[in-house]
Structures are given as C-alpha cells and as structure tokens.
Amino acid sequence: MTAIPQERRVVTAIPGPKSVELQARRLAAVAAGVGSTLPVFTARAGGGIIEDVDGNRLIDFGSGIAVTSVGASAEAVVRRASAQLADFTHTCFMVTPYEGYVEVCEQLAELTPGDHAKKSALFNSGAEAVENAVKIARAYTKRTAVVVFDHGYHGRTNLTMGMTAKNMPYKQGFGPFAPEVYRVPVAYGYRWPTGAENAGAEASAQAIDEISKQIGADNVAAIVIEPVLGEGGFIEPAKGFLPAIAQFAKDNGIVFVADEIQSGFCRTGQWFACEDEGIVPDLITTAKGIAGGLPLSAVTGRAEIMDAAHAGGLGGTYGGNPVACAGALGAIETMRELDLNGKAQRIEEVMKGRLAEMRSKLPNGDIIGDIRGRGAMIAIELVKSGTKDPAPEAAGALAKACHAEGVMVLTCGTYGNVLRFLPPLVIGEELLNEGLDVIEQAFGTL
Ligand SMILES: Cc1ncc(COP(=O)(O)O)c(C=O)c1O
C-alpha cells in the first residue's frame, strides 16, 4: 500500500499555482478535444488520495473513472508490474507469447459468470474490447445487426461511437457512424412514464418488439448492454429487464454481450454486475478496474463463440501487454486478499445512508431526485425542486464546490445532471465519510 498519508489537505487554491502553470503548457501543446474534469496536475496517488503538484491532497471519488479500484499505486500491482518491466516490456503476444497473458485469461475464465468452457482475448482499451466482441459475435452468428440501448456508452472509436447514445460530446461532428447499429429502450426506472415498478416488464417488451419488428431477430448478431449503465447516469435497469433481454437473445440465437467495462471487477460489490440477477452472458467485455490503472481490456466468453474468429482475425500489437497483464494479476490478487467485494458493499451502505440523510435533512435536499447504484458505483440524480426536470447546473455547481474543497467527484448522465461517486474500493471509512461531509456542505453553496 502507498505511503501517501490518507488525509485531505488543501494548501492552495485549487488548482494551485504549479497546476496553473502546467495547464498553460498543456493548453499550448495538447489538443483541445482532450478535456479534463479538473486541471489539477497529479504528483502521486494511492489509496483514497490524489496528491497534486502543489501539495494538495484530494479525496478521490473518481478512481480515474472507475479504474483504480485497488488504489493508484497498489502494492501487488506495482510489485508485479515492476518485476515484469525489468524482465521484458514487450514481445507482442502474436509473435512470441508469454505466460502472464495466459494466466489473465485463466483468471477471467474463473471469475466471470457461468461454469461453461470459456476463452478470452486481450486488448488495450474498453472501446477495443467492445469492437472485438462485435467482430466475434458477427463471425459466430454470420449476422450483422447490433442492438444497443438508450443511455448506453461503449466508447469513442467509430463503431463504439455509433453504439453510444449521447451525442454531445461523444459523437457531435464525428460521423458518419458504422451501419447496422440499432438502439432500443432501456428500463430507466426513475424516468419510466408509468413508474419504476412497471419499467422492467414494459421496457423489455418494447425493446423486444422493436428488435422483432424493425430489425428482425434473425438478423441480430449481438445485443450489447451495460448491466449498470455508466456514462448514461448509473442507471440500473429495473428488475426483470436484463433477464428478459438475455432470454430473448438465447431464444433467438443472438450473442448476449454484457459490457462490464465500468461495472466489473468488484465495483458493484460483486465480481460482475450481471451476477445480481443471475445473468450468464455469452460474452463479457472488461477493462478499467482489471489492471489497477494499466491499460488492459478483454473479451471473455463461451469457448465456441470466442473460437469463431479465424486465426489472425483478432489481436493487435500491444493487446495483452506483459506489464499490463502483470498489473492485472496484481489487481486480482488484491481484490481477493482484501475482499474488495465486501468493501464495495460497505461503501454502498455508508454512501446511500448518508445521501438519504442529506435528501431528508438539507433545506434543498429535494433536488436529489434519485439515489441509486450498487457497491462503490453510486450516484445522485439532480432535479429542479418539486419536479423531475433535470438540473445539470446543480450537478456542475456541486462538483465545482467539492473540487474547491479537495474532493474529486465526476458528473455524468444523458442530461448531465448526475453526480457520480466511484471511490477506490480500498478507501478508508473515515476518508469516505469526510468526502461525504464535503458533499453535504456543497449543498449549502447552491
Ligand atoms: C461501459 C463502458 N464501455 C466502454 C467504455 C470505453 O472504454 P475506454 O475508454 O477504455 O475505451 C467505457 C468507458 O468509460 C465504459 O464505461
């Protein structure tokens, strides 16, 4: 574990003078299209803390967008990745293979849902994993259509942009997009017109009807869904929705793909979020939390589906890089040893309890329209008082107030009105509560 003191410390304005200087250099050298939530430059990070170049210590409620679940300098990740760095950095698995890649695939077979024979292929980014899941599903089914959902997010490459729902900032001006991608409704309980209790059954019926009538089930290679929708606003599809869609896929020879890039690897208090309703996906895409901050992603699934692509059809120069694989083995070791599923469940308990208390006791608490999520993937949806009208300005103002006080939080949601919390699973409970105190105080600044 890192030596960084696990305490919040604000010693300059945020961003401080050194960050401001670096930001000026960055603006001159880095393309404008690459944004940052908060232009505070990092010096060190670990546990639940990000320390900046000015010596401020921020409580981390972002984990670099759900990546550093084991912390940003976890002992086992650093140890294994450093040893691998010293041995060799790269050979390309497609040229001369190495054991770490195979071991990560073995771990994925063990950890992902279902006891059928499984195989994996490794890549670098989440988007690349999603692209490859589609390639594999198409090769297996010999069909072309891909079904995705309202509020879904799958990445920034051409195919995954097309699969992503939200236009701005992800798609605007970047088309045309890949063909044969079709979007259908998802059971967004909080905003379902006839109420959350009907959302699962009604949304699945609508989605299935649209797939059957507008696309034709026989044309569909894959249905791709996030078991908890991340960028779309931490939407947990209402109960019954995922099982109905998975069953429909099974009945129609469609490959059911769970995109667990954000929700996987203990984030929701289970190894994978789809376990919550007992879903066994045909393919599962993972990235982010898999390797403790090193770039690695995977497609894992039924061996007969994974083997449908011909030799040489999958891969890439860096896919399954040995250092990233070593990092993944260190991250998985940490997750098991520290019982990070249990830690995520405890984070949910603390966070939901405190957020519910804020909603009931704060004078403006009624702008918290919904508190949702699972494990350490928790969000509040902000609305205008007395309505369900989205309040993106409140989400932005709360985030800004938290940043100024040294708490890193992120926003998300189709309407930009969701404040999301993704602390490292190793965060201490005191730090977690202190971060929540700052969020509570931020409501007073609105
Ligand atoms: C569910 C999901 N899929 C895919 C991606 C894309 O991953 P990457 O940014 O590594 O390409 C993300 C990233 O946020 C994601 O949350």
Side-chain angles (χ1 to χ4, degrees):
M1 174 54 88
T2 172
I4 302 174
Q6 295 295 297
E7 53 196 35
R8 181 172 66 109
R9 182 172 79 171
V10 180
V11 291
T12 69
I14 292 187
K18 287 185 182 154
S19 278
V20 169
E21 217 177 293
L22 283 166
Q23 176 69 357
R25 277 174 55 196
R26 171 243 177 94
L27 290 176
V30 179
V34 184
S36 293
T37 304
L38 176 63
V40 150
F41 283 73
T42 311
R44 304 190 294 166
I49 291 287
I50 299 169
E51 187 176 292
D52 74 9
V53 288
D54 290 287
N56 298 298
R57 292 200 191 110
L58 280 68
I59 298 179
D60 185 7
F61 275 8
S63 297
I65 322 187
V67 171
T68 52
S69 300
V70 295
S73 46
E75 188 277 330
V77 175
V78 174
R79 173 173 37 84
R80 286 179 180 253
S82 306
Q84 180 58 51
L85 260 175
D87 285 346
F88 62 97
T89 56
H90 176 81
T91 60
C92 186
F93 191 76
M94 301 183 305
V95 179
T96 52
Y98 37 86
E99 187 178 352
Y101 188 117
V102 178
E103 207 177 330
V104 169
C105 295
E106 287 168 350
Q107 291 286 333
L108 283 162
E110 192 183 319
L111 294 170
T112 53
D115 48 17
H116 48 278
K118 289 177 216 157
K119 290 193 177 182
S120 292
L122 305 184
F123 306 96
N124 304 287
S125 68
E128 221 185 326
V130 174
E131 292 246 0
N132 278 282
V134 170
K135 280 168 65 174
I136 294 163
R138 282 177 171 161
Y140 178 72
T141 58
K142 307 204 167 29
R143 303 171 179 178
T144 54
V146 175
V147 171
V148 291
F149 293 82
D150 288 339
H151 309 287
Y153 180 86
H154 301 287
R156 286 180 153 98
T157 56
N158 185 266
L159 175 59
T160 58
M161 263 195 297
M163 293 169 68
T164 289
K166 192 174 175 177
N167 179 50
M168 198 57 192
Y170 306 122
K171 303 165 78 166
Q172 177 64 34
F174 298 145
F177 305 112
E180 289 300 305
V181 175
Y182 300 89
R183 191 171 311 288
V184 298
V186 74
Y188 187 169
Y190 178 64
R191 296 199 172 273
W192 194 254
T194 59
E197 64 285 5
N198 302 315
E202 290 181 10
S204 56
Q206 270 188 31
I208 288 167
D209 189 60
E210 287 183 22
I211 297 167
S212 310
K213 303 284 169 18
Q214 297 177 25
I215 313 165
D218 289 355
N219 296 317
V220 179
I223 295 178
V224 185
I225 188 160
E226 302 158 81
V228 178
L229 288 82
E231 305 300 300
F234 284 18
I235 301 162
E236 294 171 83
K239 292 282 177 241
F241 182 81
L242 288 173
I245 299 294
Q247 188 60 46
F248 173 77
K250 190 171 180 194
D251 294 345
N252 290 278
I254 299 168
V255 176
F256 182 83
V257 184
D259 180 349
E260 294 252 15
I261 286 165
Q262 190 157 164
S263 57
F265 280 102
C266 307
R267 179 51 56 185
T268 64
Q270 290 175 296
W271 280 99
F272 296 96
C274 60
E275 290 168 43
D276 193 58
E277 286 186 276
I279 308 281
V280 177
D282 298 312
L283 299 182
I284 182 162
T285 55
T286 53
K288 291 187 181 281
I290 190 176
L294 289 155
L296 188 73
S297 66
V299 182
T300 301
R302 293 184 190 281
E304 69 275 18
I305 300 179
M306 290 299 298
D307 280 340
H310 51 273
L314 307 178
T317 303
Y318 293 116
N321 170 271
V323 182
C325 286
L329 296 172
I332 293 167
E333 175 189 322
T334 309
M335 289 171 194
R336 288 187 202 274
E337 275 183 7
L338 301 183
D339 179 24
L340 292 192
N341 280 320
K343 292 260 193 299
Q345 289 160 21
R346 175 65 188 156
I347 290 170
E348 171 177 349
E349 203 179 321
V350 172
M351 282 203 140
K352 283 195 167 163
R354 290 285 309 270
L355 293 165
E357 198 184 290
M358 288 179 213
R359 174 154 68 174
S360 60
K361 89 172 184 205
L362 292 175
N364 55 358
D366 71 328
I367 68 167
I368 301 179
D370 196 21
I371 301 168
R372 59 175 178 250
R374 291 205 297 273
M377 189 172 180
I378 302 291
I380 49 177
E381 175 157 358
L382 296 151
V383 292
K384 300 206 165 96
S385 182
T387 74
K388 280 193 175 183
D389 297 345
E393 59 294 332
L398 284 169
K400 215 170 147 194
C402 290
H403 296 164
E405 290 301 322
V407 176
M408 184 65 232
V409 293
L410 302 167
T411 58
C412 66
T414 299
Y415 314 106
N417 65 327
V418 176
L419 204 58
R420 59 171 153 171
F421 312 117
L422 291 158
L425 308 180
V426 293
I427 194 170
E429 200 155 318
E430 231 174 89
L431 213 52
L432 181 67
N433 270 303
E434 192 179 342
L436 287 159
D437 292 342
V438 171
I439 293 166
E440 183 167 341
Q441 285 153 22
F443 276 89
T445 68
L446 294 182

